[in-house]
Amino acid sequence: MEYILNAKEEQVMQILWRLERAFVKDIIEEMSDPAPPYNTVSSIVRKLESEGIVGFEAFGKTHRYFPILKQ
C-alpha cells in the first residue's frame, strides 16, 4: 500500500527512520529551528500511528515511537 505523506509527516518519518526509535522530544530535537511546538509534533506522530505508519512502546504515560512503514 502506498502512503502519501504531507511535508511535516515526511519530516517526522525521515527522523524516525534515522533514529529507529524516538520519543516526541527526540524528534523535536532533530528538527531545524524554529522547531514546531511539542503538541504539534505529538499530533503528527499520533496521526501516523493511527494510520499504522508508526508503532509505539508505552512507558507509563509516555510513548516511544518507531516506524512500521519502511523507507
Side-chain angles (χ1 to χ4, degrees):
M1 180 178 275
E2 187 174 321
Y3 293 95
I4 298 174
L5 303 172
N6 67 35
K8 289 293 183 190
E9 292 168 342
E10 171 79 20
Q11 184 181 21
V12 167
M13 287 306 298
Q14 290 293 338
I15 293 167
L16 280 175
W17 285 321
R18 189 171 65 251
L19 298 180
E20 297 180 0
R21 297 188 182 283
F23 296 98
V24 171
K25 67 176 182 64
D26 301 327
I27 296 169
I28 292 169
E29 287 174 5
E30 295 292 316
M31 294 178 141
S32 56
D33 286 330
Y38 183 96
N39 288 343
T40 301
V41 177
S42 181
S43 293
I44 293 167
V45 175
R46 285 195 317 269
K47 178 179 181 274
L48 293 170
E49 188 271 323
S50 72
E51 294 176 354
I53 296 172
V54 301
F56 69 89
E57 301 166 295
F59 294 91
K61 290 184 178 182
T62 190
H63 296 131
R64 183 169 63 179
Y65 296 93
F66 56 90
I68 292 174
L69 181 67
K70 301 295 179 208
Q71 192 167 12

